[in-house]
Amino acid sequence: MTDVRRAAVLGRPVGHSLSPVLHGAAYADLGLRAWSYGRFEVGEEPELRRFVESLGPEWAGLSLTMPLKRLVQPLLDTQSATAHAVGSVNTVVLGPAGRAGHNTDVHGIVAALGEGGVDSLTPGGSVVLGGGATAASAVAALAALGDPEPTVVVRSRERAGEVLEAGARLGARPRLAGFDELDAGLLAGCAAAVSTVPASGGDAVTALLDRTGPVHGVLLDVVYDPWPTSVAGAWERAGGAVVGGFVMLLHQAVEQVRLFTGCEPTAATVTAMREAGLRELGRR
């Protein structure tokens, strides 16, 4: 097998992705001079299948954006327990054993909340804002921290089936609530909240916070660009602490580096990745 090793992020659009910057900094710090990480505009089937099946032995891994996180699953030989439970694969490791799917978003959420001072939770003490694929990863992360009963706040209960299904596979029991019916005391008293709401959809959350009053917990907003979001600003104005989506992105990439390369990223590696990513964001 060639010494050259390749990895890349796939999606459409994907030009905004920070992943090449983060992975490139990690490879440089780890001395992996033969490694490269690119980006490819790849759409849904059959384009995704053609791309994946064309990859040669020099390929070590892929990072995936939505909707490819779900569409790639039929192309895999194996999936990690977390990826299967959440129903979302953002990482594919390529090797002699075939294509192995992983979910590093859950790791990223846990680590990001850890940077905010949240390392354990009690049942019913956390909230997820939004009900899409990232919300399912958030439910898994909150369960790992000790809360298998988070409240998931959604615009439409009918569209929250995937979160409930993921919760069932995880052995968690997420509770649904609408933005217009949530008990204001829940947000005020929660220890941790994860917002998976896109930057364009923050009005419902800010309206919710306006009538909630003071909050005391930590919010992780998974959006990192543009920053700060209206949700993050409203949470801080209400008195809570905020962790930005860049921190989640950083730590999920750290886990991808470990899976792709087999090397254990050091504290210096994480620092190099963080500094490179923040420099790039500062240029945008």
Side-chain angles (χ1 to χ4, degrees), residues 118-127 142-143 145-151 173 175 189-192:
V118 178
D119 53 16
S120 65
L121 293 166
T122 57
S126 61
V127 172
L142 295 171
L145 287 168
D147 184 5
E149 302 173 0
T151 299
R173 300 171 299 282
R175 297 170 290 184
C190 78

Side-chain angles (χ1 to χ4, degrees), residues 56 94-95 97 105-106 114 137 172 186 209 214 235 253 261 263:
L94 305 167
D105 287 334
V106 174
S137 293
L186 183 63
L209 287 168
W235 191 271
T261 69
C263 299

Side-chain angles (χ1 to χ4, degrees), residues 5 14 41 57 67 125-126 147 181 196 212-213 239 275 280:
R5 302 292 280 155
V14 79
E41 294 279 339
S126 61
D147 184 5
E181 64 187 36
T196 67
T212 295
E275 291 176 349
E280 176 61 25

Side-chain angles (χ1 to χ4, degrees), residues 3-66:
D3 290 335
V4 173
R5 302 292 280 155
R6 298 181 66 185
V9 59
L10 311 184
R12 179 171 290 153
V14 79
H16 66 286
S17 175
L18 276 182
S19 293
V21 172
L22 297 175
H23 281 257
Y27 301 164
D29 182 79
L30 293 168
L32 301 174
R33 289 182 290 275
W35 283 70
S36 66
Y37 187 102
R39 71 182 98 210
F40 292 87
E41 294 279 339
V42 176
E44 302 180 17
E45 290 282 30
E47 192 174 348
L48 174 62
R49 179 180 296 273
R50 286 198 298 265
F51 185 92
V52 170
E53 292 181 346
S54 73
L55 301 178
E58 74 278 12
W59 281 86
L62 301 171
S63 308
L64 303 171
T65 62
M66 285 299 293

